[in-house]
Amino acid sequence: MNQKVDKKLKELEKLESKIISLGKEMHKNKTFPIDLLANAVLDRSLKLIFGFTTLIKNENYIAACHLVRCHLDNILRFSGAWLVENPHAFATEIINGKQMDKIKDREGNYLKDWYLRNKMNEEFPWIENVYKETSGFIHLSDKHFFAATKLIDSKENIIELSISKKDIIINDNLRIEAIHGMIEITKILFSYIEGWISTKQN
């Protein structure tokens, strides 16, 4: 990895302390169901970021990108609390194990992943693309083929194949793009948590 990757990783890792500080700020006063759900979201985010940075440092881009999708899932599902009629009832239902796609928003739409994605994409137009791209890492796809295959000679149809624990063909630009995605997703999470803290305080 080059210095640009390392610098971008450090930018992401700096956000870990803010996750903890926001959690502390959120829990200063009375605890509501949304606090419990938000706590789970913050905890999952911290673990996902730690796992992601560990994998990137160990040159395992394919496994790391799974976590970008999980991190995105975290904020998409949490955003449902802002779409329903009663956020605390929503949080309670999720905590009690109800499937999110069985819950309706205030307009009567079920909170399915695609719906949450489209709603968030209205404010953050890059969400849909990141969702589609990272979903390709969850299911076996062309991304896995190209991560293990390198074209050596197009005229002679010679390719180089790899089976390795570490990246061989992945370049640093792809790593930087993935790290940037994690950073931007985390920033959206912060906006939700900060908004909830402000609501509680006022």
Side-chain angles (χ1 to χ4, degrees), residues 43-85:
D43 180 67
R44 185 186 184 201
S45 293
L46 187 61
K47 287 178 170 68
L48 289 172
I49 291 170
F50 175 68
F52 174 86
T53 55
T54 301
L55 288 166
I56 290 291
K57 287 176 183 177
N58 284 279
E59 299 177 30
N60 191 339
Y61 171 82
I62 289 295
C65 282
H66 282 76
L67 303 186
V68 179
R69 179 64 179 81
C70 292
H71 198 34
L72 180 58
D73 173 80
N74 216 19
I75 62 163
L76 286 177
R77 288 172 175 253
F78 189 50
S79 73
W82 277 257
L83 301 175
V84 296
E85 195 68 47

Side-chain angles (χ1 to χ4, degrees), residues 124-168:
F124 305 99
W126 50 269
I127 288 288
E128 184 173 3
N129 185 56
V130 173
Y131 182 94
K132 288 179 179 177
E133 289 297 314
T134 54
S135 292
F137 289 98
I138 302 298
H139 308 290
L140 184 64
S141 70
D142 61 323
K143 295 185 183 300
H144 302 104
F145 170 80
F146 288 112
T149 311
K150 183 178 182 181
L151 180 64
I152 302 298
D153 189 325
S154 59
K155 291 182 180 178
E156 297 295 326
N157 289 325
I158 299 173
I159 58 173
E160 178 184 307
L161 302 175
S162 69
I163 300 173
S164 172
K165 289 181 180 180
K166 294 197 172 190
D167 302 327
I168 293 177

Side-chain angles (χ1 to χ4, degrees), residues 34-46:
I34 284 290
D35 291 303
L36 300 177
L37 184 61
N39 191 87
V41 171
L42 289 169
D43 180 67
R44 185 186 184 201
S45 293
L46 187 61

